[in-house]
Amino acid sequence: EAGVAQSPRYKIIEKRQSVAFWCNPISGHATLYWYQQILGQGPKLLIQFQNNGVVDDSQLPKDRFSAERLKGVDSTLKIQPAKLEDSAVYLCASSFSGTNNSPLHFGNGTRLTVT
Amino acid sequence: QKEVEQNSGPLSVPEGAIASLNCTYSDRGSQSFFWYRQYSGKSPELIMSIYSNGDKEDGRFTAQLNKASQYVSLLIRDSQPSDSATYLCAVILGGTSYGKLTFGQGTILTVHP
């Protein structure tokens, strides 16, 4: 079974620029998550999709972050404009059903550095 | 109070010893608890899940859950240098749905030969 695919692996941008990350979940997984992990901290959920609908985006800074999941499969996360504090690893995860017993599978992440 | 809090590290143990990692959570209604391991520069990987009070064993790993005390722990027996990693406690807090995980800040474990 192919895992969760993310690209790019690394991205360096200047503050106020925009950036986009892409995620392809495991085939058949209905639930997709974007987490932000700042160095030395645990992952923090930004947004959660069930199929192509948003379930939870309560911690997404909506003035600068946006995300979509086209046709309930791939997803993109965008930051515009970026701030220095957005430097982090952005992890995409998917699960089969999104139930409490359905484990999350993480991609390798995108490491973003904002200078 | 943080929703999920882990004992501050880093934790250093000699090879062959028992490593004990602890986690407390704030929401008494929480039902699902997980331990993830994260190697440096890698993504988190699930190593244990526990849903009922008591112990759950899987090889060298034992998860312990005490809902009355709002406490979950992970014991690693016969620790190996390859166990050196950050261990993340994750909880599905009460009232949340669709498997939303809330993570602790992680505990760095170093197993030295």
Side-chain angles (χ1 to χ4, degrees):
Chain A
E1 166 181 89
V4 176
Q6 289 189 248
S7 66
R9 287 284 283 130
Y10 305 93
K11 191 72 177 180
I12 301 174
I13 62 172
E14 296 181 350
K15 59 184 179 183
R16 292 187 290 273
Q17 287 186 324
S18 62
V19 64
F21 313 127
W22 174 82
C23 173
N24 186 13
I26 293 173
S27 178
H29 279 199
T31 312
L32 185 147
Y33 312 78
W34 283 102
Y35 281 85
Q36 179 194 57
Q37 187 173 23
I38 294 172
L39 187 64
Q41 299 181 18
K44 181 184 83 171
L45 181 69
L46 293 176
I47 190 167
Q48 179 179 349
F49 293 93
Q50 184 72 10
N51 296 308
N52 60 352
V54 175
V55 174
D56 187 333
D57 63 357
S58 58
Q59 298 190 90
L60 186 74
K62 298 180 185 63
D63 58 335
R64 298 184 301 107
F65 287 65
S66 64
E68 60 181 3
R69 189 180 184 194
L70 301 174
K71 300 180 181 178
V73 182
D74 293 7
S75 177
T76 56
L77 176 69
K78 297 179 181 178
I79 307 175
Q80 181 179 13
K83 292 185 175 181
L84 295 176
E85 59 260 36
D86 298 332
S87 294
V89 175
Y90 291 84
L91 294 164
C92 179
S94 69
S95 68
F96 178 71
S97 62
T99 61
N100 291 350
N101 298 336
S102 181
L104 270 65
H105 299 262
F106 283 89
N108 288 326
T110 296
R111 183 177 298 275
L112 173 67
T113 302
V114 182
T115 62
Chain B
Q1 181 187 6
K2 294 181 181 178
E3 292 177 309
V4 180
E5 196 152 7
Q6 297 183 236
N7 54 326
S8 58
L11 177 65
S12 181
V13 300
E15 184 174 357
I18 296 175
S20 177
L21 303 159
N22 304 316
C23 174
T24 58
Y25 56 95
S26 60
D27 192 323
R28 189 171 290 277
S30 303
Q31 295 295 325
S32 304
F33 308 87
F34 307 85
W35 283 99
Y36 282 78
R37 177 176 61 199
Q38 187 173 29
Y39 291 114
S40 181
K42 302 295 185 182
S43 59
E45 57 177 324
L46 180 66
I47 53 173
M48 289 285 286
S49 60
I50 187 166
Y51 307 100
S52 304
N53 277 330
D55 295 357
K56 179 182 178 182
E57 187 173 318
D58 183 1
R60 296 185 296 110
F61 298 95
T62 299
Q64 300 175 317
L65 175 61
N66 184 326
K67 290 184 179 180
S69 300
Q70 296 174 233
Y71 175 91
V72 59
S73 66
L74 180 70
L75 300 178
I76 307 174
R77 291 183 302 280
D78 188 23
S79 295
Q80 301 297 309
S82 59
D83 294 326
S84 298
T86 297
Y87 288 80
L88 296 162
C89 173
V91 178
I92 297 179
L93 298 174
T96 60
S97 60
Y98 290 106
K100 173 186 173 181
L101 291 179
T102 299
F103 285 87
Q105 74 273 30
T107 300
I108 298 172
L109 172 66
T110 301
V111 181
H112 52 87

